[in-house]
Amino acid sequence: MQAQQVVFRRAGSGLGLLLALFTFLVVFWLAILTPVAAQSADEGEAVFSEKCAACHTFGGGDLVGPDLEGVSDRRDPAWLSRWIAEPDAMLAEGDPVAVDMLAEFNNVPMPNLSLSDTEVASLVAYLGTRSSAAPAAVPVQVAEQSTVGSSEPDAATGKALFEGSNRFQNGGPPCLACHSIAGIGALGGGALGPDLTGSFGKFGEDGMASILATTPFETMTPIFDDQPLTDEEQAHLSLFLSRAAVSKRTAASVGQLALLGLVGAVFLLMVMQFLWRRRLREVRRPMVARSRARIERARQAQEEQRKATPGTESR
Amino acid sequence: MDIRAQVSMVFHLDKCIGCHTCSVACKNIWTDREGVEYQWWNNVETKPGTGYPTLWENQDEYKGGWEAEDGRLQLKLQSKIGTLGNIFYNRRLPTVNDYYEPWTYDYEHLFNAPEGDDQPTARPISLITGEFMEIESGPNWDDDLGGSPVYASNDPNVGSLTDEERAQLNEIERVMFFYLPRICNHCINPGCVAACPAGAAYKRGEDGIVLVNQDKCRAWRMCISGCPYKKVYYNWSTGKSEKCVLCFPRLESGQAPACFHSCVGRIRYLGVLLYDADRIEEVASSPESELVEAQRGIIQDPFDPEVIAAAKANGVTDGMLQAAKHSPVYKFVKEWKLALPLHPEFRTVPMLYYVPPMLPVLAKMKDGKYDVADAEAEGLKPQLTSLENARAPLAYMANLFSAGNEEIVTEVYRKLIAVRVYKRAEKVGDISQEEAQEALALGNMTAEEAEAIFRLTALPSFEERFVVPPLAREVAIEQIESPYDRKREGGFGSRTAPGRRW
């Protein structure tokens, strides 16, 4: 009983400490929140260039997603906030505008970028300033990036990067780990991500370039945010992906896969046959067969002996 | 000292008449379900013979039990790493043909057959495939020496016999057989428990019954190979292994197991033994010729205050200790040293003991006449020489019950003969008292002991044969769950069907 009380007292003091820490955090958060609200549009610009610019422009035309010129005039602010915050939920609910847009943009859904409420608010504020102001020079990072590079883009290098025989400079995993594509051999690549054979045709050159630069997908973001692809690598990969888009999986490669599977299966069976060559097969039937053969031999020997010694045949 | 209690058994083979009532009682209670048709948790074999499954004693084939290398115990089947390597394929499983393909008959045909010239017959139907089949084998195919040129001559225990002894086994008018009823031995060092990769097979703490947890079993089937007695079976319907449970629900309510209860010859005895768990490894790894003696040594005296104190410290209940004091098994195994373990060389330290059979008094051909050996001799002589001239070679019995040590079997037979001679001198009176005393001296026993052995062999009451301890399951489960919750939620036990079926 005493021990229990001690435990409770300890837990109580721990609770007090937690409460104090919580109060402190709330105060601290309120303190830093005020300036954020003031600089909402500036914050929004930063968030936009980091998370949205891969697919969207202002007056630069549609990329993967629509051109956002005048978007706050076209859309209700409440709708816009929610769409930025949770596009997946809205699509699932079947919001008519969202569904139409999805159809319009090649069925590439806008991903949920897990933005905080403040980030969403600042983004909406920023979009408002951009719509009412005169169109500024579009910061199309993408276009710049694809032209920057010390060497000419090369599809073979792109393939090597895709397969991982050349490592990415910043240490990201090779594409092959999660994606398959035509032209990399019969065994293909990973199946976690989609097959990238038709991806170039789907997103277009600009879209692909922005995707490679920002990797805006839920699964890829945590991997490539810390170790992004360099501009050169992006160029190589983009070229490789564009070549892959026109090549097709040939019937020969399917046959190759089947043959590989067959050879592998036969090899494994042989290994098993060797490893388990001393397995127990059957006991009773072989035993009975052995004994019957022995009895038969003995009977024949007896008969021969009887024939050999005349006079016993009458028995 | 780590004293534990074990519900253990003695089968008195001289009394077994081979009626299979035990097998049928067991079958009706436990193995009349789909998937277990071929299982006989209790079976009765004819010896010499190959038994069920065929040649189960031949561990060159089945790799059951343990082997001791430099005093270190190791499963014959495989090491722990071997278990991992072979986990998806057990190389040492008997096939269904080594048991037998279970069957029924097409009885309906007897009623529904169209009119014809011949009587309709009921053809056998496989209980596995449901198709007509040819019966090739059964659970007791070599009963009463049936097919003995094949089956009896392949008995693994005959293997080490001399040609003379083997000829003696087969000689006409001398040919002999006896019955060997078998259930799970509920071993102290069980191979099935050691081989199980899933931890499903276990030995129950309070009474030593070896069980397979149907929820934990993952069908690796290593237990089936690990058990040298082939007493764990695979249920092909549920995908779980099953075995003799020593009718623990009956024991828990104070009844003897069904095979014991129904035994016509009253050959079976059940009682508690106390053993020292600290010495298991030492006993199981002792040299072959000393295995029986070592196994007797691990069993502790239930009257020794030190043993009692150690047992109580271990949580053995007073009721269990009381039962141990009255245990007929303790008398047969430890006090009188009459009952021997079956194949102690498998090193699982089995807790089912057998009193070897005496068989009829020797008869043989003499001058063209069938006669009792040395019948002309006066008095004691035919009785005393019956051991040397026994129909069953001692070596054969030694292979079965003492890992080939003939001395131990001889001692047992000397005692059994002494009891016979002593009682004959007393009841029939055609043997003199001096000769009876001589026989007792040969058997190294007193008249009181002979009388006690006779009483417990020939005239025991139900309560003397089965000293079922109060298992107090309600106390034992307190360690795992609240008995009141269990009573409320579980009702009279609870049954959950295994999830996997195909």
Side-chain angles (χ1 to χ4, degrees), chain B residues 152-392:
Chain B
S153 66
N154 273 305
D155 184 326
N157 305 296
V158 173
S160 65
L161 265 53
T162 61
D163 285 345
E164 193 190 343
E165 284 168 326
R166 220 175 295 191
Q168 185 185 332
L169 261 181
N170 293 326
E171 192 183 322
I172 205 150
E173 304 283 7
R174 281 187 68 121
V175 76
M176 68 94 193
F177 67 80
F178 61 96
Y179 301 107
L180 184 73
R182 299 203 300 125
I183 66 173
C184 168
N185 293 295
H186 298 281
C187 307
I188 283 182
N189 183 31
C192 57
V193 174
C196 178
Y202 64 103
K203 191 168 175 67
R204 209 156 82 156
E206 71 266 30
D207 50 21
I209 297 175
V210 177
L211 298 168
V212 177
N213 184 333
Q214 295 292 293
D215 292 330
K216 277 194 182 173
C217 177
R218 308 272 303 162
W220 302 121
R221 288 181 264 178
M222 298 298 173
C223 52
I224 293 161
S225 304
C227 172
Y229 302 94
K230 290 288 159 286
K231 276 294 171 190
V232 193
Y233 305 88
Y234 180 65
N235 179 335
W236 55 259
S237 173
T238 60
K240 311 277 175 180
S241 288
E242 298 186 11
K243 64 180 287 301
C244 160
V245 295
L246 202 59
C247 285
F248 70 81
R250 287 176 61 97
L251 284 179
E252 282 164 15
S253 55
Q255 296 168 283
C259 54
F260 287 70
H261 199 137
S262 62
C263 180
V264 173
R266 303 183 180 181
I267 77 159
R268 299 186 178 213
Y269 299 82
L270 181 131
V272 176
L273 290 182
L274 300 177
Y275 68 94
D276 183 2
D278 280 341
R279 293 179 53 196
I280 294 173
E281 190 169 3
E282 172 204 327
V283 167
S285 55
S286 35
E288 279 206 352
S289 58
E290 294 162 28
L291 273 168
V292 173
E293 208 39 62
Q295 191 164 336
R296 282 173 181 156
I298 201 174
I299 298 164
Q300 304 293 314
D301 182 358
F303 298 97
D304 183 344
E306 222 174 282
V307 171
I308 292 173
K312 280 189 174 166
N314 241 359
V316 178
T317 59
D318 285 340
M320 199 65 109
L321 287 171
Q322 198 60 28
K325 285 177 185 168
H326 293 115
S327 167
V329 180
Y330 182 77
K331 290 190 181 112
F332 270 116
V333 177
K334 180 93 175 180
E335 237 178 270
W336 302 331
K337 299 187 174 169
L338 278 181
L340 300 170
L342 177 63
H343 287 301
E345 73 274 19
F346 296 162
R347 298 180 186 277
T348 61
V349 195
M351 283 288 115
L352 163 52
Y353 295 86
Y354 292 89
V355 178
M358 286 275 281
L359 301 173
V361 177
L362 178 76
K364 67 176 180 185
M365 297 294 281
K366 203 172 190 181
D367 305 330
K369 281 191 209 156
Y370 174 72
D371 206 349
V372 173
D374 296 325
E376 302 87 357
E378 293 274 314
L380 179 64
K381 206 136 185 260
Q383 298 286 341
L384 282 185
T385 54
S386 62
L387 179 60
E388 284 71 24
N389 294 329
R391 287 202 216 178

Side-chain angles (χ1 to χ4, degrees), chain B residues 49-127:
Chain B
T50 53
Y52 157 85
T54 307
L55 289 177
W56 61 270
E57 291 154 294
N58 184 352
Q59 304 309 341
D60 294 338
E61 298 273 13
Y62 290 116
K63 302 276 181 205
W66 304 83
E67 56 196 358
E69 269 178 33
D70 317 324
R72 259 191 74 246
L73 275 182
Q74 164 79 46
L75 275 181
K76 258 204 180 102
L77 180 64
Q78 56 205 6
S79 64
K80 283 195 171 161
I81 293 173
T83 306
L84 195 65
N86 292 314
I87 191 118
F88 292 110
Y89 177 56
N90 181 352
R91 306 155 299 156
R92 292 285 161 188
L93 280 180
T95 66
V96 74
N97 282 324
D98 299 326
Y99 296 98
Y100 73 105
E101 187 169 352
W103 72 87
T104 181
Y105 293 94
D106 181 16
Y107 294 110
E108 282 213 349
H109 184 67
L110 299 178
F111 300 95
N112 302 339
E115 200 180 333
D117 293 337
D118 302 312
Q119 286 279 352
T121 56
R123 287 172 67 191
I125 299 175
S126 166
L127 279 173

Side-chain angles (χ1 to χ4, degrees), chain A residues 29-40:
Chain A
W29 181 65
L30 283 174
I32 60 163
L33 190 70
T34 334
V36 166
Q39 309 166 356
S40 184

Side-chain angles (χ1 to χ4, degrees), chain A residues 144-163:
Chain A
E144 282 167 35
Q145 275 168 359
S146 58
T147 52
V148 170
S150 54
S151 62
E152 281 297 301
D154 170 21
T157 315
K159 187 181 177 197
L161 287 165
F162 190 97
E163 290 175 336

Side-chain angles (χ1 to χ4, degrees), chain A residues 272 275-292 294-295, chain B residues 50 54-55 61-62 86 89 91-95 97-98 136-137 149-151 153-154:
Chain A
M272 285 191 268
L275 280 179
W276 290 318
R277 64 197 176 282
R278 292 214 197 107
R279 65 188 178 275
L280 180 71
R281 287 181 169 86
E282 202 171 3
V283 176
R284 181 177 56 80
R285 281 172 171 168
M287 180 196 86
V288 172
R290 270 197 313 272
S291 292
R292 288 212 173 127
R294 199 192 57 222
I295 292 165
Chain B
T50 53
T54 307
L55 289 177
E61 298 273 13
Y62 290 116
N86 292 314
Y89 177 56
R91 306 155 299 156
R92 292 285 161 188
L93 280 180
T95 66
N97 282 324
D98 299 326
E136 278 179 48
S137 170
V150 173
Y151 292 97
S153 66
N154 273 305

Side-chain angles (χ1 to χ4, degrees), chain A:
Chain A
M1 207 55 196
Q2 229 170 10
Q4 268 181 346
Q5 273 172 354
V6 170
V7 171
F8 278 133
R9 217 176 299 141
R10 278 205 190 136
S13 69
L15 214 68
L17 205 71
L18 260 176
L19 206 69
L21 195 70
F22 180 72
T23 322
F24 171 76
L25 278 176
V26 166
V27 170
F28 182 74
W29 181 65
L30 283 174
I32 60 163
L33 190 70
T34 334
V36 166
Q39 309 166 356
S40 184
D42 291 350
E43 280 296 311
E45 184 171 5
V47 176
F48 183 88
S49 58
E50 187 189 329
K51 303 213 163 160
C52 315
C55 303
H56 299 284
T57 63
F58 287 106
D62 293 344
L63 290 180
V64 180
D67 189 339
L68 297 181
E69 183 79 63
V71 69
S72 42
D73 303 332
R74 289 201 299 274
R75 307 275 184 235
D76 169 48
W79 186 94
L80 201 58
S81 311
R82 183 152 183 245
W83 176 245
I84 292 169
E86 40 177 28
D88 46 346
M90 287 180 76
L91 276 171
E93 284 164 18
D95 182 276
V97 181
V99 171
D100 285 351
M101 270 206 299
L102 181 67
E104 192 183 336
F105 286 91
N106 301 321
N107 283 323
V108 181
M110 171 146 145
N112 187 332
L113 296 163
S114 317
L115 301 172
S116 67
D117 289 347
T118 42
E119 279 176 322
V120 172
S122 59
L123 262 179
V124 173
Y126 174 64
L127 292 178
T129 62
R130 287 304 304 251
S131 298
S132 48
V138 183
V140 187
Q141 284 172 296
V142 175
E144 282 167 35
Q145 275 168 359
S146 58
T147 52
V148 170
S150 54
S151 62
E152 281 297 301
D154 170 21
T157 315
K159 187 181 177 197
L161 287 165
F162 190 97
E163 290 175 336
S165 42
N166 285 7
R167 302 299 306 268
F168 287 128
Q169 202 181 319
N170 291 331
C175 318
L176 184 82
C178 302
H179 295 283
S180 187
I181 195 166
I184 55 162
L187 288 177
L192 178 65
D195 187 314
L196 297 182
T197 307
S199 61
F200 198 88
K202 189 167 169 185
F203 294 114
E205 188 175 356
D206 292 345
M208 189 50 79
S210 65
I211 287 171
L212 285 171
T214 56
T215 55
F217 302 107
E218 217 173 333
T219 325
M220 294 178 75
T221 309
I223 303 171
F224 286 98
D225 263 8
D226 294 340
Q227 39 198 14
L229 308 177
T230 65
D231 298 342
E232 249 175 274
E233 286 164 352
Q234 291 171 31
H236 291 313
L237 276 176
S238 187
L239 193 63
F240 170 61
L241 290 170
S242 73
R243 298 276 161 83
V246 287
S247 73
K248 270 192 189 140
R249 242 168 243 288
T250 54
S253 78
V254 175
Q256 221 178 352
L257 183 65
L259 191 74
L260 218 61
L262 198 71
V263 170
V266 169
F267 175 72
L268 279 178
L269 281 174
M270 277 163 62
V271 168
M272 285 191 268
Q273 178 69 23
F274 176 76
L275 280 179
W276 290 318
R277 64 197 176 282
R278 292 214 197 107
R279 65 188 178 275
L280 180 71
R281 287 181 169 86
E282 202 171 3
V283 176
R284 181 177 56 80
R285 281 172 171 168
M287 180 196 86
V288 172
R290 270 197 313 272
S291 292
R292 288 212 173 127
R294 199 192 57 222
I295 292 165
E296 185 59 23
R297 273 201 307 277
R299 198 185 59 78
Q300 277 172 357
Q302 218 172 8
E303 214 152 277
E304 270 167 35
Q305 203 180 3
R306 196 183 302 160
K307 274 182 199 156
T309 38
T312 53
E313 274 159 52
S314 56
R315 280 184 72 196

